[in-house]
Amino acid sequence: MEKRQTLAQSHPVLSVLLLVSVVLFGIFLTVLVFMFQSTPPEFSATISSFEGLDRRAGAPPTFRVDLRVKNSDVWWHCFEPTGAVVEYDGVPLARADLGELCVPAGSVVDVPFVATGEGLGMPDRLYERVDGLRRRQERVPLAVRLTLEMKDSVKEARSMLLRCTAMLDGRPDLPSRCLLFFLVEPGSMSAD
């Protein structure tokens, strides 16, 4: 009785070439997936210090904000912020202008900035509410809001709204993770 030979036994070089080509194709597909998969970075914010929340001081509110950007992606991400706003209960307390921000692949970047309430004014009721919370040593949640234009190296620019909740007096000490919303211009989504 005659034994049948497998492909590997009858053509060992061809078998090795076939195996190598399957492995290389798998590596190529993996690299391709990583190249075209672009995820936005993670943002977090803390308010490291503040001034001007005492009516007697007569100075406008000023907040020192530490924005942290963690990019776990394989691509650089660059943003053009249109400005930052610190607000309490929906009322803007302070503003800041930020320059272009770029985050290298696989890195963390800290972006400190100062937001001032110069020219904004703060309603008396809001001062009283914040002052009451602080005297009772309760947490005062402030919102840090940024509108960003993401200049992606793979896709076209995308507008995003970043909203963080940061506690006044730095409580808790951990930065808050921010929510990121992609903004869609009216009429840009079509029904298929």
Side-chain angles (χ1 to χ4, degrees):
M1 191 185 258
E2 199 176 297
K3 279 183 149 180
R4 298 193 97 181
Q5 289 185 333
T6 64
L7 179 66
Q9 292 170 335
S10 61
H11 303 290
V13 173
L14 184 63
S15 298
V16 169
L17 285 175
L18 184 63
L19 179 63
V20 167
S21 63
V22 167
V23 169
L24 287 177
F25 184 71
I27 291 172
F28 173 75
L29 282 180
T30 304
V31 168
L32 197 62
V33 166
F34 276 115
M35 282 180 58
F36 291 105
Q37 179 184 1
S38 179
T39 57
E42 292 178 21
F43 294 85
S44 60
T46 55
I47 294 179
S48 57
S49 67
F50 62 92
E51 299 167 352
L53 289 180
D54 183 0
R55 260 292 190 219
R56 295 175 296 268
T62 302
F63 302 93
R64 284 173 186 71
V65 180
D66 294 321
L67 182 68
R68 175 168 272 211
V69 188
K70 178 182 177 186
N71 184 7
S72 301
D73 208 349
V74 296
W75 299 103
W76 276 65
H77 287 292
C78 288
F79 303 93
E80 186 67 43
T82 58
V85 176
V86 177
E87 59 186 35
Y88 176 73
D89 212 15
V91 177
L93 304 177
R95 288 188 204 137
D97 290 324
L98 305 173
E100 185 179 58
L101 161 68
C102 287
V103 187
S107 67
V108 176
V109 173
D110 290 315
V111 183
F113 64 90
V114 177
T116 64
E118 193 69 43
L120 287 178
M122 188 168 170
D124 290 335
R125 287 184 24 210
L126 202 59
Y127 264 114
E128 292 166 9
R129 192 174 334 154
V130 170
D131 190 49
L133 289 170
R134 291 184 59 224
R135 275 188 273 127
R136 291 189 300 274
Q137 296 183 345
E138 293 182 31
R139 293 166 38 135
V140 180
L142 297 176
V144 177
R145 189 171 35 88
L146 287 94
T147 304
L148 304 168
E149 191 74 26
M150 183 174 178
K151 298 177 179 183
D152 201 327
S153 57
V154 178
K155 301 173 188 158
E156 57 189 58
R158 296 181 281 177
S159 295
M160 298 181 295
L161 173 67
L162 180 67
R163 189 175 192 291
C164 315
T165 302
M167 295 299 158
L168 197 61
D169 297 324
R171 283 184 243 135
D173 291 335
L174 299 173
S176 70
R177 191 159 173 199
C178 304
L179 298 174
L180 189 61
F181 302 95
F182 289 96
L183 302 175
V184 178
E185 293 185 25
S188 65
M189 295 183 71
S190 60
D192 291 330

